[in-house]
Amino acid sequence: MLKYKNEKSRKFSLGMKQRLGVAAAILSKPKLLILDEPLNGLDVEGMLDMRRLVKRLAEEEGTTFFISSHLIHDVELTCTRIGVVYGGKLVDVEYTSNILSQYASLENYFVSEVDRNGRI
């Protein structure tokens, strides 16, 4: 990464901007970090690295992550608990392992929660 030290970030690819943003966010060792689509623009290797980083910081540093993502499979592989926000309200929070023991997939769980909370 040192080869990019004199580059302007506006010239970075989307994946490089994602990495830079997360790096800047974790510098101060926050207890809570909110990430919106953190895997967007990353290649497969970058996605694996990001998942490992989130898990490591959660385990070793005690960092809590709120991750907003439509990539359900990546949420399943990364998060220990899942929250469903519907209509601007948090309607349920559950451990990923409990959800997967009761539902065939996180997609089924999400649809069930949305239906239960009055989807139009």
Side-chain angles (χ1 to χ4, degrees):
M1 286 299 189
L2 285 178
K3 67 181 178 177
Y4 299 107
K5 71 179 183 176
N6 294 318
E7 293 290 325
K8 301 287 184 197
S9 62
R10 69 176 171 263
K11 293 181 180 180
F12 287 176
S13 68
L14 179 57
M16 292 263 306
K17 288 177 182 176
Q18 286 288 75
R19 288 177 175 89
L20 180 61
V22 171
I26 64 174
L27 276 175
S28 64
K29 297 189 177 199
K31 286 295 179 194
L32 171 66
L33 195 55
I34 300 170
L35 301 176
D36 183 25
E37 301 288 350
L39 303 179
N40 190 30
L42 297 178
D43 57 12
V44 173
E45 186 177 331
M47 294 169 87
L48 294 170
D49 289 342
M50 188 68 70
R51 283 199 297 260
R52 281 192 290 263
L53 177 66
V54 167
K55 288 179 177 182
R56 186 178 64 75
L57 291 175
E59 291 172 10
E60 295 175 11
E61 304 288 332
T63 306
T64 299
F65 288 86
F66 284 173
I67 298 175
S68 171
S69 180
H70 67 281
L71 301 173
I72 302 294
H73 180 69
D74 289 311
V75 169
E76 179 181 328
L77 294 173
T78 307
C79 301
T80 56
R81 283 187 274 182
I82 307 292
V84 175
V85 176
Y86 182 73
K89 295 181 181 175
L90 184 64
V91 297
D92 191 39
V93 177
E94 186 59 71
Y95 284 95
T96 307
S97 58
N98 290 346
I99 294 168
L100 294 174
S101 72
Q102 298 173 32
Y103 294 88
S105 67
L106 287 183
E107 289 92 347
N108 289 355
Y109 163 72
F110 176 78
V111 169
S112 173
E113 285 302 305
V114 169
D115 283 346
R116 195 167 63 87
N117 286 280
R119 178 171 66 175
I120 297 174

